[in-house]
Amino acid sequence: MIDTLLAETTSNVALMPGFMDPFNLIGYFGPAAFWGLLVVILIESGVLFPVLPGDSLLFVAGLIAAGSQSGEHAEKVADSGLTLWPLLIGVPIAGIIGGQIGYWIGRYVGTSMFKPDARFLKQRYLDEAHLFFEKHGPIMIFLARFVPIVRTLAPIVAGAARMKFAIFTIYNVVGAIVWGAGIVLLGYWLGQFEIVQKLIEPIFIVIVLVSVLPMVFEWLRRRRNGKNEDDAIAAE
């Protein structure tokens, strides 16, 4: 399942330019870009829509706040009005709220809305989040912030598993602050370098690849363990 999840997550890059292109998305929001961005982060943080460009969107928001976008990109986001401090405050709050909503969805609605053939709420996504949760325990709520798709489903799984609300909230708050404010600041800081402005698209790809590395490592670990088990059975 990890390999399928990895492939579908990485394939989001192929949708750029378009809806998944952060510059396009912010451009669509226009003067309401700040609030639109917060809605996207809230939804991706636990409200059942795990295919939004969270990491790259925050990075681009940091670039825009630094005034570092150039050329065609600058024209798309000219009316966005994004500035640093509102982003550093608003993004973590949106992430926290989204995670809390996801927790209560999992606690009271459960996981019955996930179907094997669903377009977005695929059963295998939930299975992967469950396995990630079982391996890492409560810290998974923090770690999941940095893994696409898993960050959306982790609060739901935690709620369905009836993880203690106070513990979940602590990890959810810390994760939202470190992830949300951290990536915005990264974009803001790197935007000061002219070379970064010229390499926006490759940077998007790097962000996606880095964010799915935990899934790659998990897939490789399972594949290796599975091979060892097969060898052991053959030896018997």
Side-chain angles (χ1 to χ4, degrees):
M1 290 181 291
I2 281 285
D3 50 342
T4 304
L5 184 58
L6 171 63
E8 293 196 7
T9 302
T10 307
S11 70
N12 284 342
V13 178
L15 295 176
M16 300 177 183
F19 174 74
M20 296 298 291
D21 183 328
F23 282 107
N24 282 348
L25 188 56
I26 291 174
Y28 294 152
F29 291 137
F34 176 73
W35 299 107
L37 184 149
L38 295 190
V39 169
V40 170
I41 296 304
L42 185 149
I43 291 173
E44 203 206 20
S45 295
V47 193
L48 305 178
F49 198 82
V51 289
L52 294 171
D55 296 322
S56 55
L57 186 64
L58 293 182
F59 184 83
V60 164
L63 288 178
I64 295 171
S68 302
Q69 70 283 358
S70 59
E72 178 186 355
H73 296 310
E75 295 177 5
K76 291 179 183 177
V77 300
D79 299 329
S80 66
L82 295 178
T83 55
L84 182 61
W85 280 107
L87 288 171
L88 293 181
I89 296 172
V91 169
I93 291 175
I96 292 168
I97 294 174
Q100 300 298 106
I101 292 174
Y103 176 90
W104 292 113
I105 288 175
R107 184 135 186 177
Y108 289 108
V109 180
T111 58
S112 59
M113 71 285 291
F114 290 85
K115 306 294 182 183
D117 57 348
R119 183 174 183 182
F120 296 114
L121 306 181
K122 298 180 186 296
Q123 179 64 41
R124 64 175 174 272
Y125 292 170
L126 192 61
D127 294 339
E128 290 300 334
H130 255 301
L131 291 171
F132 202 64
F133 181 75
E134 290 174 0
K135 178 181 178 181
H136 297 287
I139 191 66
M140 173 262 203
I141 301 301
F142 174 82
L143 296 175
R145 282 287 174 181
F146 302 90
V147 184
I149 297 179
V150 176
R151 70 167 152 261
T152 306
L153 303 179
I156 300 170
V157 174
R162 297 197 173 270
M163 180 180 180
K164 289 185 178 179
F165 179 70
I167 294 176
F168 169 82
T169 299
I170 291 172
Y171 283 100
N172 183 43
V173 169
V174 174
I177 293 172
V178 174
W179 172 71
I183 295 183
V184 170
L185 282 172
L186 181 65
Y188 186 86
W189 177 67
L190 290 178
Q192 314 300 319
F193 300 96
E194 185 177 351
I195 185 64
V196 172
Q197 301 174 31
K198 297 178 179 179
L199 297 173
I200 294 297
E201 278 73 19
I203 287 173
F204 288 165
I205 296 175
V206 170
I207 290 173
V208 173
L209 292 178
V210 169
S211 63
V212 300
L213 277 178
M215 289 188 284
V216 174
F217 293 146
E218 181 67 11
W219 175 71
L220 291 173
R221 184 187 67 81
R222 287 193 210 168
R223 188 174 182 180
R224 183 176 62 252
N225 291 344
K227 185 178 184 301
N228 292 339
E229 291 176 2
D230 292 341
D231 292 342
I233 293 174
E236 294 177 357

